[in-house]
Amino acid sequence: MLFHRRPAGGRSALPRHPLAVTASAALAVVAAALPFSMPASADPAAAGDTTVTVNANAGLGTVDSAALGANAAIWDAHMNDPEVASLYRSAGIGSLRYPGGSYADIYHWADHTAPGGYVAPGTGFDAFMGTVRDSGAQPILIANYGSGTPQEAADWVRYANITKKYDAKYWEIGNEIYGNGVYGSGWEHDDHTDKSPGQYAREVKAYATAMKAVDPTVKIGAVLTMPGNWPDGVVAEGDSGDWNHTVLAAVAHDVDFVSVHWYPNTDNGDQSLAAVRQLPGELREVRSLLNRYAGDDSARIGIAMTEVNSNSAGGAFTSRPNGLFTAEAMMTALENGVFAVNWWDTHNGAGNISTVGGETDYGDMGMLSNGSCSGSVCEPAVNTPFAPYYGIKALGALSDPGDSMVASGSSGSEVSSHAVLRAGGDLGVLLLNKSSSAAHTVDLRYQGFTAGSAAPEVRRWAPGDDGLVDAPGTATAGSVTLAPYSLTVLTMHPKSGTGSSAATAGAPGAPRTTSSGADGVTLNWPAATGTVDRYEVYEQLGTNIQLLGSSTGTSVTIPNLPAGSRHTVNVLARDKAGRLSRPSVPLTFTTGTPQNSTCTVSYQVTAGWGNGFVSNVVVSNVGPAAIDGWTLTFDWPSAGQSVSSSWNANVTANGRHVHVTNGENNARLAPNGGNSASFGFVGGNDGANPSPTAFTLNGTVCRTIS
């Protein structure tokens, strides 16, 4: 984040730059003599206006101990107040990032100085670690890239982990270094003469070497831009690629995690809530980049979203919509492969005062009040929780580290849901009513879970509630009514003898691909604990699952998959009584394209500006017969991608489906690769901008080349 407000005349946050999922194809063949999907329990007659379905067999990943986090900053005089640690612990916050956004690149830990910035008393590293200890969290530390050196960072590791034995695991190299002016806008301090992504990559390798020489167990993180957000896709003069491609091409095997930030930069809280739909595609693209550049190493590289807030230029910050945004954005990130999400930030300062839904919004990006004033309007007492705090606290009530996130979905646009299968067999469900005025009654449906007869435990944050409160007797396992602008956490207990807690087999280990072709894939996974009769591989299709294969061993080959198609699967173990275990962590893979095809297609993004791009496509005929007149079709991986203009071909689109016909001068494609047809277009992207995976030329699926 940029330099932020501090009490008593601190510098205001600068405005950020304006920011600008593919469903699996139907499968032709699945394993014989096995059910295609897990049957749902019998549904009672619908009574509500919205149905939420939870599938406890469709796993989205495991909740990490660092999952829920916040930022702490050395300009915050209240960062180490005793009550702050208590509030962190009460909310379930497990990671604290220090020393505070852009200040990291001017901060020198040894003498606790930040030349050009303000350092509040009592905010030194050891004091911060006291708060970390008292809250039960772990630190995420930012090594000074902008004005520091690899040696300074290594000395910090030595002090933290050798001298003080703090066991600080996660270390980022710099903050938002792409904001150093290389792309024309500079807010991040950077003393390096060479400000290119290539120089950053070289320095990351030097930092990693120096820091791991002191403590080989530390995890080193590199800064990336969020796909689909400025400056993703922008190539600076003299560079051959944008920030992400350049950095990862050099350091993918040297880092242990990557760090992204996300601020949707919308005009109000409702728009911010709606913008969360961009996150799954953007985070899939981060993982796709890691897969491309790290190969087999990709599975060990984590993704951290070390800053998130609704925006940085205005709108609702302390009022109810931002509390809903906090829960929605943070949980969505965790469900899509992020191991830690750190809210920006703990305290900040009063800004633009407005009224949102009848309550005062103080324009403060912190989750706790720092007691500052804006004009004649002052915030409540120091450390009074704002709405985002309750959003995080609801997530803390939903799950504990080690729980399994599972798929859920809502039939209504104003209600969203998230679900967690608890380690002991309970099912937690978070329901958000995003309407500011309408209540919604929700019918709850389950697959892979049978609720017991006891009423669920209910925790709720609704208008009129004094924080996140217990609300016994306000829901059943089948139905609940949600107040406007509310968060509701239900904890359901399973019927005795049912569910994964009753199975004698534990969850299988993380699956991985061992081979992948144009029409199939082979998977293997570490064995489950306990008594296993067989393993079953299921594909996620929203809140449904479809059986792809079964094996008595720890590998399976899945044939007959469409070329260039994306699939997300879980492995479950079935015990001898027929009960299924908890699902493994998910694996997402994309099949290849035919190596022996009679055509090839190269798709390259040649320029970008965050919410738009230029692509160049080259089509070749490598078959024995000439082609006179051609049609090329492909599908956008993301719903936010579009075409606005083109050259050397006629390009049209219908939704995600793109149809291209030859231009006047490139209709003939000679046999055996004798020539190629090139065309280009200008496109737009609302969110991530992944490349298409499969192209069809006159009905033939081509080999896609990079």
Side-chain angles (χ1 to χ4, degrees):
M1 189 59 190
L2 316 185
F3 289 98
H4 293 287
R5 292 182 287 272
R6 63 174 176 87
R11 185 174 173 183
S12 295
L14 301 175
R16 285 189 171 269
H17 309 282
L19 305 182
V21 310
T22 303
S24 299
L27 302 178
V29 177
V30 296
L34 291 170
F36 287 120
S37 62
M38 299 303 301
S41 57
D43 291 339
D49 55 68
T50 304
T51 299
V52 165
T53 302
V54 178
N55 192 331
N57 291 323
L60 304 179
T62 303
V63 179
D64 193 272
S65 60
L68 304 180
N71 277 268
I74 56 174
W75 39 259
D76 173 14
H78 297 289
M79 66 174 282
N80 294 314
D81 289 354
E83 55 266 46
V84 171
S86 177
L87 287 163
Y88 283 153
R89 185 180 288 274
S90 178
I93 286 175
S95 61
L96 296 172
R97 184 172 178 253
Y98 176 92
S102 294
Y103 264 60
D105 287 306
I106 60 172
Y107 178 64
H108 300 285
W109 71 271
D111 59 4
H112 190 51
T113 62
Y118 170 76
V119 178
T123 59
F125 176 56
D126 288 318
F128 164 73
M129 288 304 301
T131 298
V132 169
R133 179 198 61 226
D134 292 344
S135 62
Q138 58 187 299
I140 297 177
L141 302 174
I142 318 170
N144 183 343
Y145 175 87
S147 61
T149 65
Q151 185 60 54
E152 182 180 13
D155 290 343
W156 195 1
V157 172
R158 180 176 292 104
Y159 178 80
N161 290 355
I162 308 302
T163 302
K164 302 295 289 189
K165 303 190 184 307
Y166 287 143
D167 191 27
K169 180 170 24 174
Y170 296 110
W171 299 75
E172 294 179 70
I173 310 304
N175 184 52
E176 297 168 347
I177 306 301
Y178 48 80
N180 61 6
V182 66
Y183 299 114
S185 183
W187 63 87
E188 200 73 16
H189 187 92
D190 185 359
D191 287 340
H192 296 85
T193 302
D194 183 350
K195 294 178 169 41
S196 69
Q199 175 64 19
Y200 175 71
R202 288 186 288 273
E203 290 287 341
V204 166
K205 292 169 78 74
Y207 273 73
T209 298
M211 296 165 77
K212 290 195 173 191
V214 175
D215 181 355
T217 70
V218 297
K219 306 293 186 183
I220 303 299
V223 172
L224 297 185
T225 66
M226 180 66 100
N229 294 253
W230 188 95
D232 179 49
V234 179
V235 179
E237 184 178 356
D239 290 341
S240 59
D242 67 1
W243 183 275
N244 286 354
H245 289 82
T246 303
V247 170
L248 284 178
V251 308
H253 298 285
D254 301 284
V255 299
D256 304 287
F257 69 100
V258 294
S259 172
V260 293
H261 294 171
W262 191 64
Y263 296 87
N265 282 323
T266 54
D267 293 332
N268 57 55
D270 290 334
Q271 290 180 9
S272 294
L273 272 168
V276 176
R277 63 179 171 75
Q278 298 173 354
L279 270 180
E282 293 173 355
L283 291 168
R284 278 198 301 269
E285 187 65 6
V286 175
R287 179 52 63 188
S288 177
L289 287 167
L290 291 172
N291 291 342
R292 173 178 176 179
Y293 290 108
D296 289 343
D297 268 357
S298 176
R300 69 163 183 80
I301 300 174
I303 302 171
M305 186 181 292
T306 53
E307 289 187 22
V308 62
N309 204 319
S310 56
N311 62 50
S312 59
F317 285 122
T318 68
S319 53
R320 188 162 291 275
N322 211 26
L324 271 67
F325 171 84
T326 306
E328 184 84 324
M330 293 180 73
M331 196 64 197
T332 299
L334 295 173
E335 290 168 340
N336 285 276
V338 171
F339 72 86
V341 190
N342 296 83
W343 185 254
W344 185 270
D345 54 355
T346 299
H347 302 97
N348 203 314
N352 181 56
I353 307 298
S354 61
T355 301
V356 178
E359 63 178 316
T360 300
D361 190 290
Y362 296 97
D364 187 328
M365 296 183 78
M367 63 179 176
L368 304 178
S369 169
N370 72 348
S372 60
C373 301
S374 180
S376 61
V377 179
C378 294
E379 295 182 349
V382 173
N383 294 323
T384 299
F386 289 138
Y389 176 81
Y390 295 118
I392 297 174
K393 193 170 184 177
L395 299 184
L398 176 68
S399 67
D400 290 319
D403 292 344
S404 297
M405 296 171 285
V406 296
S408 67
S410 170
S411 67
S413 62
E414 292 188 330
V415 173
S416 62
S417 62
H418 305 272
V420 169
L421 185 61
R422 306 294 292 263
D426 290 348
L427 183 71
V429 180
L430 170 65
L431 301 169
L432 297 87
N433 184 353
K434 297 178 284 188
S435 171
S436 62
S437 57
H440 287 287
T441 297
V442 173
D443 293 316
L444 296 158
R445 303 289 182 261
Y446 310 100
Q447 297 181 44
F449 178 83
T450 303
S453 58
E457 299 170 17
V458 183
R459 302 205 74 194
R460 184 189 65 203
W461 180 62
D465 290 337
D466 185 17
L468 189 70
V469 300
D470 293 325
T474 59
T476 68
S479 180
V480 62
T481 298
L482 309 177
Y485 264 176
S486 66
L487 298 171
T488 301
V489 179
L490 306 177
T491 302
M492 259 79 64
H493 307 300
K495 182 179 179 181
S496 179
T498 68
S500 59
S501 60
T504 59
R512 58 187 292 267
T513 58
T514 55
S515 66
S516 179
D519 60 355
V521 65
T522 297
L523 309 175
N524 69 8
W525 53 88
T529 59
T531 305
V532 177
D533 182 64
R534 66 181 184 271
Y535 295 95
E536 297 173 358
V537 179
Y538 290 93
E539 179 176 21
Q540 295 181 19
L541 302 171
T543 56
N544 293 315
I545 56 176
Q546 180 168 244
L547 184 67
L548 295 188
S550 175
S551 174
T552 56
T554 56
S555 67
V556 69
T557 296
I558 302 169
N560 302 312
L561 301 176
S565 58
R566 180 187 289 119
H567 307 270
T568 297
V569 299
N570 300 106
V571 182
L572 292 89
R574 192 178 289 276
D575 68 12
K576 293 186 182 302
R579 296 168 298 206
L580 282 172
S581 71
R582 292 169 69 184
S584 73
V585 298
L587 169 69
T588 297
F589 63 86
T590 301
T591 57
T593 50
Q595 294 299 301
N596 59 351
S597 176
T598 56
C599 56
T600 66
V601 174
S602 170
Y603 178 96
Q604 300 289 335
V605 175
T606 58
W609 47 93
N611 60 354
F613 61 96
V614 177
S615 286
N616 185 67
V617 184
V618 180
V619 182
S620 298
N621 168 29
V622 295
I627 295 176
D628 289 299
W630 51 267
T631 297
L632 184 76
T633 60
F634 63 90
D635 290 324
W636 290 122
S638 172
Q641 295 172 287
S642 60
V643 175
S644 58
S645 61
S646 61
W647 53 94
N648 296 339
N650 305 301
V651 183
T652 59
N654 181 11
R656 292 190 181 187
H657 189 67
V658 181
H659 184 272
V660 185
T661 56
N662 58 266
E664 293 182 3
N665 301 315
N666 60 4
R668 180 175 174 80
L669 294 174
N672 303 314
N675 69 328
S676 298
S678 298
F679 67 93
F681 58 86
V682 176
N685 57 291
D686 180 14
N689 184 32
S691 296
T693 55
F695 300 84
T696 300
L697 181 69
N698 289 0
T700 297
V701 178
C702 299
R703 176 166 60 94
T704 303
I705 58 178
S706 57

